[in-house]
Amino acid sequence: MADVQHGNNNHVPVLFSFSVFSRPSLVPRGSGHEVLIQKFLSIYGCQIDIHRKFTIQLFSDEWGQYIDLPKGFVISEKCKLRLVPLQLDMTMLGNLSVSNTVFFCCDMQERFRPAIKYFGDIISVGQRLLQGARVLGIPVIVSEQYPKGLGSTVQELDLSAAKLVFPKTKFSMVLPEVEASLAEIPGLRSVVLFGVETHVCIQQTALDLIGRGLEVHIVADASSSRSMMDRMFALERLARAGITVTTSEAVLLQLVGDKEHPKFKEIQNLIKASAPESGLLSKV
């Protein structure tokens, strides 16, 4: 019997990815577009909105990224495929909703305090974001880069309500335990991302997330780097990639959306004092 890693003469191993999920499976050699669509539906059926249009993309070793499935493509060898929505719901693009949002707090650790520009300011803004998440019941996922050497998250940030706090050595936060945690959030659409460093872990996390079909909002007044030039070019690159670069106050008010929201007063109290107008406003 063929195993999913190697297949046999009649079946080929394929990695099927959709949103934040990836699952290996065997498909008959020679399978084309229709068979592959049915395979995606059999694996992810309950998570795919059948009223939307999708395209299948193939990972190209030559280009180092996913490309649209070539016309007439059939399965002949081991490969990686992903299902990507073609039609975006323009009424939701850029919007945030409490019910389908998660906060990512990236590597806000003690050893970075002396090295990161305006670290005290981004801690202050990070506090208001975490407090806002607690008020609104939004799940929070927190990473710590090599905590054995770089220490834990700074004490000023209360992580007691976090859904997941995990160590990592990879720069991106998108690791298997994070993907498993995201899979537990029904209808997840948006990630609000903040922390350090903007041009390394924030950037790589954001690109991994949009590659999985999620919308990403980077909180500029809660994200920094050792170099303001690195930070500036990272934010510009990410904005060109379709990522929303925003502020903490904009995020929190977008999440409540209405003065009549039952949590509006609590959020208003969090933002009464404006975020620090630090050197993060400077481009160099």
Side-chain angles (χ1 to χ4, degrees), residues 28 30 39 41 49 66 104 113 122 127 141 149 152 165 175 187-188 217 239 252 254:
K39 190 68 176 180
L41 288 171
D49 181 354
Y66 282 92
F104 273 28
R113 192 183 293 269
I122 67 170
Q127 285 174 319
I141 292 176
S152 301
V165 180
L175 294 173
L188 177 64
H217 298 246
L252 293 173
Q254 195 169 18

Side-chain angles (χ1 to χ4, degrees), residues 68-74:
D68 291 343
L69 204 65
K71 188 175 181 180
F73 174 84
V74 295

Side-chain angles (χ1 to χ4, degrees), residues 122-248:
I122 67 170
I123 290 173
S124 173
V125 178
Q127 285 174 319
R128 72 156 62 176
L129 288 166
L130 293 179
Q131 289 165 358
R134 184 192 290 269
V135 167
L136 297 172
I138 293 172
V140 175
I141 292 176
V142 181
S143 68
E144 295 178 339
Q145 180 74 16
Y146 186 54
K148 183 177 178 181
L150 297 173
S152 301
T153 301
V154 295
Q155 292 185 350
E156 294 97 316
L157 298 181
D158 181 4
L159 306 183
S160 59
K163 178 178 176 65
L164 175 68
V165 180
F166 69 100
K168 66 182 179 70
T169 56
K170 184 180 177 182
F171 296 138
S172 172
M173 290 178 67
V174 184
L175 294 173
E177 57 264 48
V178 174
E179 296 191 275
S181 191
L182 294 180
E184 298 170 357
I185 304 172
L188 177 64
R189 181 188 291 268
S190 305
V191 177
V192 172
L193 172 62
F194 60 97
V196 300
E197 288 187 70
T198 310
H199 66 295
V200 186
C201 297
I202 295 291
Q203 178 170 273
Q204 293 185 32
T205 299
L207 294 173
D208 280 350
L209 290 169
I210 62 168
R212 286 159 171 77
L214 292 168
E215 196 171 285
V216 179
H217 298 246
I218 293 178
V219 187
D221 54 337
S223 302
S224 190
S225 296
R226 289 166 296 157
S227 158
M228 290 294 94
M229 182 171 287
D230 283 333
R231 177 180 181 272
M232 176 187 75
F233 282 109
L235 292 177
E236 288 184 359
R237 176 192 177 188
L238 292 166
R240 287 196 301 270
I243 289 161
T244 300
V245 179
T246 186
T247 66
S248 57

Side-chain angles (χ1 to χ4, degrees), residues 87-103:
Q87 292 182 328
L88 291 175
D89 183 352
M90 298 306 291
T91 62
M92 289 300 295
L93 189 62
N95 281 333
L96 288 169
S97 172
V98 169
S99 63
N100 53 35
T101 296
V102 63
F103 281 18

